[in-house]
């Protein structure tokens, strides 16, 4: 028998979760059963994803930074590349935040359903310690956010998911320090981290196999709990909000992938709008079907060189770095997801809270691995850092796979766009007639 793809299994998990919730609500089955015997599987799924996140961030960042081998030769190109990656990431998060604030996909939920959701999450968050960043925001010391970037004990931050930013910054610093050591000496630790990275990616794949059960448990328990003291028609209200949420993410991703990138490329380089989109098309399809930037790297490099004319020297440096640290689609998605969840739970986010979210997403997206579902982990941490209950992820987990496929397309298109711009500025964009076929 043909094996059902994970993607389909997750959709089946979602459908079963919705049906189970509908039946359970209709037959007025005791909520305690779902809370005690079904919900824990959803919690285990989210916890296992969170558990791999910190080692994954450290390993992929240190390895990514050290892919810049010869510092002197590559420092100029490296500077340009990192600058462009950073700028495009910040702009992507900003776009996501603006779009989510304008469309307000989470506000569709009525006051009654919202207050049920808040009550539910308040119960949960009362038992959870407030993250550090939030505590410091309450203190409001003007430079507290800078102080919070530097841990006084690295092992303490490693054991606390709300210290993501400290871990990302620490990993970058360690990566740079490692670059200063002769490659002969650092090779063994880099190879070890590379292997750890690969093993963690395998681990995520193993965890993702339980995604259908996790999605079933999360969706059914969420709906059953939310509707336990309200009308069942509210399920449809949440679904309606989800449709808005999905359309908002897809609209923003499409705008950037098929509008902004090719437009910028056609204005800044000699590659035309349609040449760029045509050249990158196959890589986009691979990204869409694998949901993995890493898996798309070989074809991305080939197409960037053969179809777009990026020299091998530039592509072999800019693209592997890009698939590790540059995730524009993921950044847009995370920004919309976080604001959506806050809106759905009726949580007001001040401008400073939204600025903190921009910083958290920008830095955390650097550490997201280019594998399916990797962003969920980081999104859970960004939510926690903003004091939005991470359990709110249950709201957006079900449609995540399809959004993952689409954001991965944007991720690799962004990497290719930066490669073309860097190559053009270095006069390394090879004419069609001179390219090797
Ligand atoms: N699947 C994405 C990628 O590989 C990462 C994510 O957004 O989860 O680029």
């Amino acid at each position: 028998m043909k094996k059902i793809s994970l993607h389909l299994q997750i959709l089946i998990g979602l459908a079963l979760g919705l049906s189970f919730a509908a039946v359970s609500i209709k037959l007025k089955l005791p909520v305690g059963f779902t809370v005690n015997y079904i919900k824990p599987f959803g919690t285990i799924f989210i916890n296992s994803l969170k558990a791999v996140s910190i080692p994954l961030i450290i390993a992929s960042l240190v390895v990514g930074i050290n892919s810049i081998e010869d510092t002197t030769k590559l420092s100029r190109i490296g500077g340009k590349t990192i600058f462009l990656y950073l700028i495009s990431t910040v702009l992507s998060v900003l776009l996501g935040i603006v779009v989510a604030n304008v469309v307000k996909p989470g506000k569709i939920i009525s006051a009654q359903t919202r207050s049920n959701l808040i009550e539910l999450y308040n119960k949960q968050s009362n038992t959870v310690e407030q993250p550090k960043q939030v505590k410091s925001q309450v203190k409001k010391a003007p430079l507290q956010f800078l102080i919070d970037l530097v841990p006084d004990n690295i092992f303490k931050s490693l054991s606390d998911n709300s210290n993501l930013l400290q871990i990302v910054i620490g990993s970058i610093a360690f990566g740079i320090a490692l670059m200063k050591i002769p490659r002969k000496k650092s090779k063994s630790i880099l190879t070890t981290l590379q292997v750890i990275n690969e093993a963690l990616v395998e681990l995520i794949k193993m965890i993702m196999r339980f995604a259908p059960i996790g999605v079933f448990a999360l969706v059914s328990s969420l709906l059953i709990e939310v509707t336990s003291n309200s009308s069942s028609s509210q399920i449809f209200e949440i679904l309606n909000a989800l449709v808005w949420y999905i359309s908002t993410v897809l609209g923003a991703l499409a705008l950037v992938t098929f509008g902004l990138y090719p437009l910028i490329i056609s204005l800044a380089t000699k590659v035309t709008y349609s040449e760029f989109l045509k050249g990158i098309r196959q890589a986009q399809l691979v990204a869409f079907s694998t949901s993995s930037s890493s898996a798309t790297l070989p074809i991305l490099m080939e197409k960037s060189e053969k179809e777009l004319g990026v020299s091998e020297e530039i592509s072999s440096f800019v693209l592997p770095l890009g698939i590790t640290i540059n995730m524009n689609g993921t950044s847009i998605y995370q920004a919309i997801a976080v604001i959506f969840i806050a809106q759905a739970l009726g949580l007001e986010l001040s401008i400073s809270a939204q600025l903190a979210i921009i910083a958290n997403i920008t830095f955390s997206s650097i550490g997201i691995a280019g594998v399916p579902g990797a962003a969920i982990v980081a999104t859970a941490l960004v939510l926690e850092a903003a004091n939005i209950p991470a359990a709110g992820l249950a709201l957006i987990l079900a449609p995540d796979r399809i959004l993952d496929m689409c954001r991965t397309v944007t991720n690799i298109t962004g990497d290719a766009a930066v490669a073309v711009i860097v190559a053009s500025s270095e006069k390394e964009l090879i004419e069609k007639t001179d390219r090797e076929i």
Side-chain angles (χ1 to χ4, degrees), residues 23-39:
V23 171
S24 166
I25 292 162
K26 190 104 194 134
L27 301 181
K28 297 204 170 42
L29 294 180
V31 177
F33 173 77
T34 311
V35 173
N36 293 329
Y37 298 103
I38 293 183
K39 191 176 172 187

Side-chain angles (χ1 to χ4, degrees), residues 290-295 323 326-327 329-331 333 368-376 400 403-405 407-409 411-412:
T290 61
S291 283
S292 168
S293 310
S294 307
I323 60 118
N326 187 49
M327 305 247 164
T330 300
S331 305
Y333 151 83
I368 293 177
V371 295
I376 302 265
D400 190 69
L403 296 184
D404 192 6
M405 296 161 91
R407 66 184 182 246
T408 308
V409 173
N411 286 346
I412 60 108

